Every structure is written in C-alpha cells, then in structure tokens.
Amino acid sequence: MIKLMLTDDHAMVREGLKNLLELEENFDVVAEASDGLECLNILKDGNTADVLLLDINMPNMNGLEVLEQLKKLKVDIKVIILTVHNEVEYLLKAVEVGIDGYILKDSDLSVLKTAINSVYNGEAYIQPDLIPSLNAKLVTKNADQELIDSLTKRELEVLKKMAVGLFNKDIAEQLNISERTVKNHISNIFKKIKVVDRTQAAVFAIRNNLINVF
C-alpha cells in the first residue's frame, strides 16, 4: 500500500483526486493540506506518507518552496508536482530543486498512477511530452552558463546593474569606477555573451536569473 498526501489550495481538486486515487487498491490517502505551510507543518510533525502530490501555486508557501524546505529538513518523502503550468521554466526550476515527478493536472489518471508507482520505486518521472522542451531548455541553460562563466566578477556586476536599467554614469558611481571603464566592460560583456545591445543583455540576465525582476 502506497501512502499518499495531497496538497492543493482547491478543496474540490483534493476531494476529486482523493476519490479517484482511493479507487485503486494499492493507494491510500493518509493526509491532506490546503496550502504549502500547512503541508510542511504536517510533515514536520512526523506524519508520514510515501508520496506527496504537491501543487505549485498556493498561498503562504508555494510548492517549490515546500520542496526546498523538505530537502533541507531531510524529510523522507517522494514529491510529485501536479500543476496546470506546462511552461518549461516551471519544470526546470522543479528539476533544479530536486523534484521526483512532474505532471500536468489535465493528465489522464493512468499517467498519475504511473508517476506515483515510478517515484515510489525510486525512479524519476516527468510527463513524457514535456521532456523534449526540458532537454532543449537544459541545452540553452548549459550554453548560457559557459558564457556567464567567461565573465569576470566586475563584468558580472556591470551586467546586473545594466540589466536593471542603470545608465553608465550610475553604474560608475555605484562601483566607484570611471564611465570609460564602464563602457569598456559593457563592450566586453556584449562580446562574451553574444548580444548586440543593452536590451538583449537584460533579457540574457533575466533568463538566467541574474537579477530579480519582481
């Protein structure tokens, strides 16, 4: 019997999932939570489940934040993200944090059952039709990382400040260097990350989470 925990801020979603899953003789829903913080508190209090089905967008603490805390606390539970988001950025972040499974909420029950059984047996499971876009994103990310690594510490500082919209004069004042030096750094940055203007440089910085845009 695989013990499951459901965490979703929509009661109807939890109830529907519970009813579907408990039709399977080897699944038992042993705990539920309506948001990320409640989920974390339940698991911290020693309530055990084998697999956690976790929504990403929830109040108080989102799914990825819950996952990060579970990893830090070394809670022994497999985690499957259940989400409406098919954007590869969400999937990539989940993979980086250390997700065990990732499927979309509009998937067939057979996909969910396969995911649960897979992660319970120690295998990672990502919904198959999401894998090509993930692989493409990983290739781009790896290529970008090589470009980032080519930047000096000072160039990286200049790139971040340029990406948030600071002018050369402002950058020079904040870094206590001359405007001419800033211009030289920007020229080198453009060459190294293969862009031609400040807008493209900003997009590069945002894409690689070098700045916080929120």
Side-chain angles (χ1 to χ4, degrees):
M1 182 70 70
I2 301 177
K3 294 181 291 183
L4 304 172
M5 178 175 180
L6 309 180
T7 299
D8 195 297
D9 59 323
H10 294 96
M12 291 180 64
V13 172
R14 293 198 312 274
E15 188 65 25
L17 272 175
K18 182 178 181 179
N19 291 339
L20 284 173
L21 291 168
E22 290 193 333
L23 291 174
E24 305 297 318
E25 60 181 16
N26 63 323
F27 294 157
D28 182 22
V29 178
V30 298
E32 298 179 49
S34 60
D35 61 49
L37 186 59
E38 183 184 9
C39 169
L40 189 61
N41 287 335
I42 289 173
L43 292 173
K44 284 167 61 178
D45 287 342
N47 292 273
T48 57
D50 300 309
V51 179
L52 168 63
L53 302 181
L54 182 65
D55 188 20
I56 284 185
N57 289 335
M58 296 180 295
N60 298 324
M61 183 179 288
N62 68 45
L64 295 181
E65 290 171 334
V66 172
L67 180 58
E68 289 174 339
Q69 290 301 312
L70 292 176
K71 296 294 183 181
K72 289 179 182 178
L73 296 170
K74 298 182 179 179
V75 177
D76 185 19
I77 191 169
K78 303 295 185 181
V79 182
I80 297 173
I81 289 288
L82 270 176
T83 180
V84 297
H85 296 292
N86 61 1
E87 293 90 345
V88 69
E89 287 78 11
Y90 283 93
L91 173 54
L92 181 59
K93 288 179 181 177
V95 170
E96 289 174 342
V97 175
I99 203 68
D100 298 293
Y102 191 101
I103 64 175
L104 301 178
K105 285 185 176 180
D106 61 1
S107 302
D108 293 337
L109 179 60
S110 60
V111 174
L112 179 57
K113 289 163 55 179
T114 299
I116 293 171
N117 286 310
S118 295
V119 302
Y120 178 74
N121 290 310
E123 303 171 4
Y125 185 91
I126 296 173
Q127 190 165 324
D129 57 351
L130 297 176
I131 292 177
S133 57
L134 174 62
N135 288 339
K137 185 69 174 180
L138 287 171
V139 169
T140 300
K141 185 175 180 63
N142 290 337
D144 281 353
Q145 189 59 52
E146 290 183 8
L147 301 182
I148 293 169
D149 291 343
S150 72
L151 299 172
T152 66
K153 181 179 179 180
R154 179 63 85 189
E155 287 167 350
L156 190 57
E157 289 176 331
V158 172
L159 171 59
K160 291 177 180 179
K161 293 185 180 299
M162 177 173 54
V164 296
L166 294 183
F167 295 109
N168 290 1
K169 181 180 179 180
D170 301 317
I171 297 172
E173 290 177 352
Q174 290 193 12
L175 297 180
N176 196 29
I177 57 179
S178 70
E179 285 189 59
R180 183 180 180 85
T181 300
V182 172
K183 290 179 181 178
N184 289 336
H185 283 316
I186 291 175
S187 178
N188 290 334
I189 290 166
F190 285 177
K191 290 177 183 176
K192 288 184 176 182
I193 67 174
K194 301 179 181 178
V195 301
V196 297
D197 57 34
R198 299 172 85 100
T199 299
Q200 290 183 1
V203 170
F204 178 92
I206 294 168
R207 184 173 72 227
N208 289 283
N209 299 314
L210 298 179
I211 61 171
N212 186 357
V213 295
F214 300 106

